[in-house]
Amino acid sequence: MKVVAVYSTKGGVGKTTAAVNLAWEAAKNFRVLLWDLDPQGATGFLLQVKPKKVKGGVSALVAGQSKVSHAIRSTSYDNLDVLPADASYRDLDLVFDHAKKSEQRIAKILAQVDRDYDVVILDCPPGAALVAENAVFSADAVVVPLVPSPLSMRSLEQVSAFMAESVSKARMVAFLSMVDRRKTLHREAVEKLPATQKSVSAVVVPATVQVERMGTERAPIGSYAPRAEAAQAYGDLWALVEKTVKPKTGTRKR
Ligand SMILES: Nc1ncnc2c1ncn2[C@@H]1O[C@H](COP(=O)(O)OP(=O)(O)OP(=O)(O)O)[C@@H](O)[C@H]1O
Ligand SMILES: [Mg+2]
């Protein structure tokens, strides 16, 4: 099982959008679990799944009092399951803080489903708290969306520094997100960043209404607009991540 964390210190850069689309792309060939670690629950919303009522919420999961398999939902897509967040995820940092080996809890929980999935995608909340430490610790790759702005390099540096502090051996795969080529700054970022920064891939996801439509379609972009440039970009991004983490194919579930 390979773990891919979609993460940035910055909010609103396209993490959840990337996580949902990567999971959908990955599910074409692998058994995929998408874990929403953000109490806003956007991932579940976009894939039309509601959290299951699990006694004790996420703290029972972390304490080992409830099984992760009980909280997992299937989606309408083959090979794609979701572990949705509920309101109890608001306290996740505190819950981890009180646990032993507090940065290794996500890895420990995922060990329960090691044989059930080939790929796990983690949709992380922004920030640099324990949830992120856990995600990076468990990850084989960390996917970082970068929106061209004077602050984007800063967030790239922050994520690099954050990963360097972790014992994790995860590889970073950054990509340009929400790119508007009418803006000079954005065009410059597309030209310069992938050429000068080793961790920044050539994948460019444009800012388009087709991506925005995910909120009303409540579906991955590839399912309703497969020819859109953004859908192709997420396909390319998954191809790159797949090459980076090399998941093994288990038996397909369906
Ligand atoms: N390429 C794009 N083009 C247009 N809109 C986009 C694009 N990517 C994301 N968005 C929109 O931007 C908003 C923020 O995206 P998203 O929720 O994926 O960011 P996030 O990094 O997960 O945010 P948060 O930090 O709050 O979790 C959403 O409304 C989403 O639909
Ligand atoms: Mg999000």
Side-chain angles (χ1 to χ4, degrees), residues 153-196:
M153 279 311 294
R154 209 175 119 79
S155 63
L156 186 66
E157 280 158 20
Q158 283 171 343
V159 177
S160 305
F162 191 70
M163 286 174 67
E165 277 169 27
S166 169
V167 294
S168 162
K169 295 271 187 302
R171 300 263 302 272
M172 177 159 44
V173 180
F175 70 98
L176 289 162
S177 174
M178 299 183 186
V179 171
D180 181 350
R181 289 197 176 87
R182 291 170 304 185
K183 295 181 180 161
T184 313
L185 190 72
H186 285 218
R187 285 198 307 273
E188 277 175 10
V190 170
E191 275 165 34
K192 283 190 195 143
L193 280 185
T196 57

Side-chain angles (χ1 to χ4, degrees), residues 201-214:
S201 72
V203 173
V204 173
V205 176
T208 62
V209 286
Q210 280 131 326
V211 180
E212 270 172 46
R213 253 177 72 201
M214 283 175 68

Side-chain angles (χ1 to χ4, degrees), residues 3-229:
V3 180
V4 177
V6 184
Y7 170 62
S8 171
T9 47
K10 245 171 108 56
V13 290
K15 294 181 294 295
T16 299
T17 306
V20 168
N21 290 312
L22 283 175
W24 184 81
E25 289 288 343
K28 290 177 181 172
N29 289 304
F30 299 101
R31 299 168 304 162
V32 179
L33 175 66
L34 173 57
W35 188 353
D36 185 1
L37 292 165
D38 191 330
Q40 294 177 86
T43 301
F45 175 81
L46 289 173
L47 290 171
Q48 309 195 32
V49 291
K50 289 210 177 101
K52 276 188 187 173
K53 285 221 162 46
V54 179
K55 207 171 155 221
V58 75
S59 41
L61 199 62
V62 173
Q65 290 153 353
S66 65
K67 277 197 179 152
V68 66
S69 56
H70 293 159
I72 290 173
R73 291 265 189 200
S74 55
T75 67
S76 53
Y77 306 101
D78 280 353
N79 291 319
L80 176 54
D81 290 351
V82 174
L83 182 48
D86 59 26
S88 70
Y89 278 67
R90 268 186 228 131
D91 303 323
L92 194 51
D93 262 312
L94 273 178
V95 172
F96 283 147
D97 200 23
H98 290 143
K100 273 189 242 158
K101 295 192 176 164
S102 58
E103 79 292 356
Q104 301 181 17
R105 306 316 298 184
I106 285 183
K108 187 96 197 278
I109 292 168
L110 286 177
Q112 289 176 29
V113 289
D114 188 32
R115 286 166 184 274
D116 302 327
Y117 297 99
D118 307 318
V119 176
V120 174
I121 310 256
L122 303 174
D123 180 18
C124 301
L130 260 175
V131 177
E133 270 185 55
N134 265 271
V136 167
F137 178 85
S138 71
D140 297 286
V142 177
V143 172
V144 186
L146 290 175
V147 178
S149 84
L151 282 178
S152 60
M153 279 311 294
R154 209 175 119 79
S155 63
L156 186 66
E157 280 158 20
Q158 283 171 343
V159 177
S160 305
F162 191 70
M163 286 174 67
E165 277 169 27
S166 169
V167 294
S168 162
K169 295 271 187 302
R171 300 263 302 272
M172 177 159 44
V173 180
F175 70 98
L176 289 162
S177 174
M178 299 183 186
V179 171
D180 181 350
R181 289 197 176 87
R182 291 170 304 185
K183 295 181 180 161
T184 313
L185 190 72
H186 285 218
R187 285 198 307 273
E188 277 175 10
V190 170
E191 275 165 34
K192 283 190 195 143
L193 280 185
T196 57
Q197 302 289 323
K198 217 175 79 201
S199 56
V200 181
S201 72
V203 173
V204 173
V205 176
T208 62
V209 286
Q210 280 131 326
V211 180
E212 270 172 46
R213 253 177 72 201
M214 283 175 68
T216 45
E217 299 278 344
R218 298 182 68 188
I221 182 172
S223 70
Y224 61 83
R227 288 170 193 279
E229 186 191 344

